[in-house]
Amino acid sequence: MALFTTGEAVAVELPIARIPTRAAAFLLDLCVQLILGLVLVPGSQVLLSRWGADSAWRDTALVVTVVAVLIGYPVLGETLTRGRSLGKMALGLRVVRGDGGPIDFRHAVTRGLSGIVDFWMLGTGLIAVVVSLCSPNARRIGDALAGTVVVHDRSRLPFAALVVPPPWLQGWARQLELSGLSDELALAVRRYLIRFGTLTPVVQDQLGRTLVLTVCARLHTPPPNGYPPLMILGAVLSERQRRAFPPPPARPAYARAVA
């Protein structure tokens, strides 16, 4: 089990996926990739031959198809499903960020490219197995580079709704460009919010001001004047939560009346 601080200050324990389960999921994905390869490779070659393409074009198509199957398949699957390939779905696994949040394309493509080293460099997956055995959270090289962990996901992660922005800072927070807020810095802020009540007043103020200056520097915006660090940091994380978990669109009044 590992403790994650999910969303915006929700602590939850999730079981780490170990090598046997991950290996089974990998073999299922490999079967899907083999089927895709057996369909796409001959199909592309036949299609190019009908178009009168020379051997150079056919060789290029072969390389592109193999790369798309080996790397594009896991990257596309994990991006669209927020961390679950077909094999992981079957085994109840999910890739999550180091703070327990859902991954995006950046994490998926890092894991996919690193799979060349983890699985295909020696052709046996031995590197992934050895690195996972040496990691307390069973992380392979791709997980270490992407900052991700594979966990069992039979039970849904709780919706992170504990951070509520102060109304007077909502407008300021909605104008922020949050791409500069890294997962590591967001995790540090969440831990500060969780532990706020246990800190001494001096530490609350000093650590809070340090985090506010760091966060605002990363976001390239001056901190709003006259507000305590707790409100500013809460506003930033609540806005991050709102963008990561957008609420469902409201139905029109006439639709509600018909329903």
Side-chain angles (χ1 to χ4, degrees):
M1 299 290 287
L3 182 65
F4 294 91
T5 306
T6 64
E8 309 304 337
V10 178
V12 62
E13 257 191 335
L14 291 174
I16 297 295
R18 299 296 174 178
I19 291 178
T21 311
R22 292 184 65 174
F26 172 75
L27 290 176
L28 289 175
D29 285 327
L30 184 60
C31 291
V32 176
Q33 290 172 297
L34 287 175
I35 293 173
L36 289 175
L38 291 175
V39 172
L40 295 178
V41 171
S44 63
Q45 297 299 307
V46 170
L47 186 61
L48 288 174
S49 297
R50 289 183 177 178
W51 286 352
D54 57 20
S55 59
W57 279 105
R58 291 197 296 271
D59 292 342
T60 302
L62 175 62
V63 173
V64 171
T65 304
V66 171
V67 171
V69 170
L70 294 182
I71 299 178
Y73 164 79
V75 171
L76 183 63
E78 291 182 359
T79 300
L80 295 179
T81 62
R82 312 298 291 273
R84 305 181 73 189
S85 62
L86 293 177
K88 290 182 177 67
M89 287 184 186
L91 274 295
L93 306 181
R94 181 186 293 273
V95 184
V96 298
R97 300 193 309 250
D99 62 355
I103 67 170
D104 55 24
F105 175 75
R106 175 173 57 89
H107 303 92
V109 75
T110 302
R111 285 172 45 81
L113 292 175
S114 302
I116 299 174
V117 177
D118 281 322
F119 302 117
W120 309 118
M121 179 170 287
L122 299 180
T124 60
L126 181 62
I127 294 178
V129 172
V130 172
V131 174
S132 296
L133 287 174
C134 297
S135 170
N137 288 335
R139 302 169 82 186
R140 61 178 177 87
I141 293 176
D143 291 315
L145 293 177
T148 57
V149 183
V150 181
V151 298
H152 289 274
D153 191 36
R154 289 302 185 190
S155 58
R156 266 184 88 81
L157 295 178
F159 182 74
L162 291 188
V163 175
V164 179
W168 45 89
L169 286 177
Q170 284 185 353
W172 172 79
R174 295 198 174 214
Q175 299 175 1
L176 297 176
E177 172 53 56
L178 298 180
S179 59
L181 185 64
S182 65
D183 297 338
E184 292 77 14
L185 182 55
L187 179 59
V189 175
R190 290 172 190 146
R191 287 173 174 167
Y192 169 77
L193 295 178
I194 292 173
R195 298 172 52 207
F196 183 83
T198 66
L199 303 176
T200 64
V202 174
V203 175
Q204 288 176 353
D205 182 68
Q206 292 180 349
L207 181 57
R209 291 180 183 275
T210 300
L211 287 172
V212 166
L213 291 176
T214 304
V215 167
C216 290
R218 295 285 183 87
L219 301 182
H220 305 291
T221 184
N225 294 324
Y227 300 104
L230 184 67
M231 291 185 181
I232 298 174
L233 297 174
V236 172
L237 285 189
S238 64
E239 178 62 19
R240 192 171 189 257
Q241 169 186 294
R242 186 186 69 83
R243 297 182 190 181
F245 303 97
R251 293 187 300 169
Y254 69 85
R256 292 196 299 268
V258 171

